[in-house]
Amino acid sequence: MSTTPTAPAPPVAPISFEDTRIAFEAKSDGELRTMYALFAAMNNGSLVQVGSSLMQSALKLGFPGTKFLIKNSIFKQFCGGETIQECQPVIAELGRYHIGTILDYSVEGTGNDRSFDRTRDEILATIAMAATTSNIPFSVFKVTGLLPTALLGKMQAGTALTAPEQAAFERGQQRLDALCASAHQHDVRLFVDAEESWFQHTIDELTETMMQRYNQERAIVWNTYQLYRHDRLEALQAAHDRAVAGGYYLGVKLVRGAYMEKEARVAKQRGHATPINSSKQATDDLYNESLRYCVNHIDRISLCAGTHNEASSLLLTQLMQQANLAPGDERVWFAQLYGMSDNLSYNLAHAGYRTAKYVPYGPVEAVMPYLLRRANENTAIAGQSSREFLLIQKELRRRKGRS
């Protein structure tokens, strides 16, 4: 009995996340030195704590020059601008290196209908912009930007909503549908970000309803799975089963997660078992197993690996090679935050992999919570600031030796 030989894997360009020449090709010597100083400062936990408090106070009191100082330091490193238009130079610069932009409106709403409508309209504007250029492959939003958090929690807990609450929830559903319908109309992929576990199941259900409606031809609406939660691979597998049964495509963004300390604290306060994995190694293992699952079911799943982890990123390139997927396969993406892990983003893009950066934007005062999280996370995450710091240092030494 004859067998058909397996087709050879497509050729893949060599990739090294240690190649700082490629990682920082877009940066001048002056820009590198500025980044070096910023990450050096973020290595100092006490300095970050004191500096964060001083920045917030100075902004609140309206001290002259405070906004200018912030906008030209930490804001410039981690944000694209205050408006979509201000982000244009960043979008173009990333695009020159074949890196897409994910415009992330990082203004936290005030929880009323006016705020929710304003967020909806801003996300609609990012979708409209994405429809005009291949440099913006995704739009993104949080469901809590469209409807009250308390109602999401009540729905998950099975608590009956009052008539006004039900009306407010339905208005939120209408905003959600408006975004997904626009994304489908413009053929723009749309990420739904993950949030806290006590209302994430409600978000999952809302998102899957949108997938059933708008993912009939391909993955337009994508859900996000936080793999520091020990139940997320099971949730992903169940969502895949429902997508197969329903005949629609599943868009999946895998992240390690953004609310770990809060999740552990709230679980303890409520007397619940923690949803968090027992160790970082367990999270890494679960993340990598989820990558394998998605690639093994790539006929139905489109995948974005939202990670700064070099080992997981390298694993995904290997899994793609083993599955005979070309680096440019449109069903597989890599994503990192703007201002971080350029050694991943630029080297992946240089090797032909579909890569994008989350580029937050919004008024300086409004995105301060985001910026302070970045500063605190870089201090708290073992080795992240140090890693950025050392890579920049390595590139500066390389350039000095070259001159």
Side-chain angles (χ1 to χ4, degrees):
M1 183 177 66
S2 63
T3 59
T4 303
T6 303
V12 177
I15 187 167
S16 169
F17 297 139
E18 301 296 322
D19 192 334
T20 59
R21 180 189 64 81
I22 292 174
F24 299 113
E25 187 176 3
K27 303 297 183 184
S28 68
D29 290 354
E31 288 170 327
L32 271 183
R33 284 191 287 268
T34 299
M35 290 171 62
Y36 180 86
L38 183 63
F39 281 106
M42 287 193 296
N43 266 332
N44 187 324
S46 298
L47 182 61
V48 167
Q49 188 173 10
V50 173
S52 297
S53 179
L54 287 174
M55 280 193 296
Q56 287 179 297
S57 298
L59 269 179
K60 189 174 182 179
L61 294 171
F63 281 4
T66 301
K67 180 177 176 178
F68 177 85
L69 179 63
I70 294 172
K71 191 169 182 180
N72 286 279
S73 56
I74 189 171
F75 182 92
K76 185 177 181 180
Q77 178 66 28
F78 295 114
C79 297
E82 294 194 79
T83 66
I84 293 176
Q85 289 305 316
E86 275 193 21
C87 292
Q88 290 297 334
V90 169
I91 296 168
E93 178 72 9
L94 291 172
R96 276 195 287 274
Y97 295 91
H98 309 291
I99 297 172
T101 291
I102 305 167
L103 287 172
D104 184 9
Y105 183 55
S106 296
V107 177
E108 298 186 356
T110 55
N112 55 47
D113 277 332
R114 187 174 180 180
S115 171
F116 295 144
D117 288 344
R118 186 165 58 248
T119 298
R120 175 203 58 204
D121 294 344
E122 189 68 29
I123 306 308
L124 286 172
T126 69
I127 294 170
M129 176 65 73
T132 69
T133 173
S134 60
N135 287 337
I136 307 178
F138 295 90
S139 288
V140 63
F141 70 99
K142 285 182 169 62
V143 171
T144 52
L146 304 178
L147 60 93
T149 304
L151 300 188
L152 293 168
K154 278 192 168 186
M155 291 291 290
Q156 183 156 317
T159 304
L161 302 184
T162 65
E165 287 175 335
Q166 184 63 39
F169 190 82
E170 289 173 3
R171 289 194 296 274
Q173 288 178 298
Q174 290 167 3
R175 295 182 190 103
L176 172 62
D177 186 70
L179 296 184
C180 296
S182 179
H184 182 262
Q185 177 187 349
H186 290 98
D187 200 28
V188 172
R189 305 172 189 86
L190 184 62
F191 284 146
V192 181
D193 271 349
E195 303 194 54
E196 288 88 341
S197 62
W198 49 94
F199 53 85
Q200 181 60 47
H201 184 67
T202 308
I203 292 174
D204 292 343
E205 290 184 328
L206 290 169
T207 303
E208 286 191 33
T209 298
M210 295 297 102
M211 288 186 184
Q212 293 169 25
R213 194 170 297 169
Y214 297 113
N215 285 12
Q216 293 295 322
E217 298 89 15
R218 72 178 188 118
I220 292 292
V221 181
W222 298 46
N223 202 9
T224 303
Y225 295 83
Q226 300 190 106
L227 273 307
Y228 65 17
R229 286 183 55 183
H230 54 69
D231 63 344
R232 289 297 86 188
L233 176 53
E234 293 176 2
L236 167 59
Q237 292 168 332
H240 172 249
D241 289 343
R242 288 189 292 271
V244 171
Y248 58 90
Y249 291 91
L250 190 66
V252 171
K253 182 178 65 164
L254 300 179
V255 300
R256 277 170 170 76
Y259 306 99
M260 186 165 68
E261 292 178 1
K262 184 177 182 181
E263 291 275 8
R265 183 176 68 252
V266 171
K268 184 176 181 180
Q269 290 171 349
R270 297 182 178 183
H272 297 161
T274 179
I276 306 302
N277 284 313
S278 58
S279 65
K280 182 182 183 302
Q281 186 61 54
T283 294
D284 291 343
D285 292 343
L286 194 62
Y287 191 96
N288 293 341
E289 187 59 32
S290 300
L291 290 177
R292 294 186 182 93
Y293 184 86
C294 290
V295 172
N296 287 340
H297 297 89
I298 200 68
D299 59 322
R300 182 66 57 176
I301 296 176
S302 290
L303 164 68
C304 177
T307 182
H308 292 212
N309 186 285
E310 294 179 15
S312 293
S313 299
L314 184 60
L315 173 63
L316 181 52
T317 67
Q318 295 166 345
L319 293 172
M320 292 177 67
Q321 175 78 357
Q322 292 165 11
N324 293 327
L325 301 178
D329 193 300
E330 65 176 10
R331 295 168 294 181
V332 183
W333 286 80
F334 297 78
Q336 294 81 39
L337 296 174
Y338 181 66
M340 295 172 61
S341 298
D342 286 348
N343 65 313
L344 293 183
S345 308
Y346 282 80
N347 279 294
L348 284 164
H350 183 79
Y353 293 94
R354 292 184 180 263
T355 309
K357 287 280 200 185
Y358 260 69
V359 178
Y361 74 96
V364 171
E365 299 85 351
V367 300
M368 279 306 296
Y370 173 84
L371 292 174
L372 295 178
R373 281 198 298 274
R374 293 286 78 76
N376 289 324
E377 285 171 8
N378 274 283
T379 301
I381 297 171
Q384 184 61 56
S385 284
S386 296
R387 178 64 169 152
E388 304 283 350
F389 180 76
L390 292 173
L391 286 167
I392 295 166
Q393 189 178 57
K394 177 182 176 183
E395 176 60 10
L396 285 171
R397 283 200 304 266
R398 187 193 73 80
R399 293 186 184 188
K400 185 176 180 180
R402 183 192 61 190
S403 60

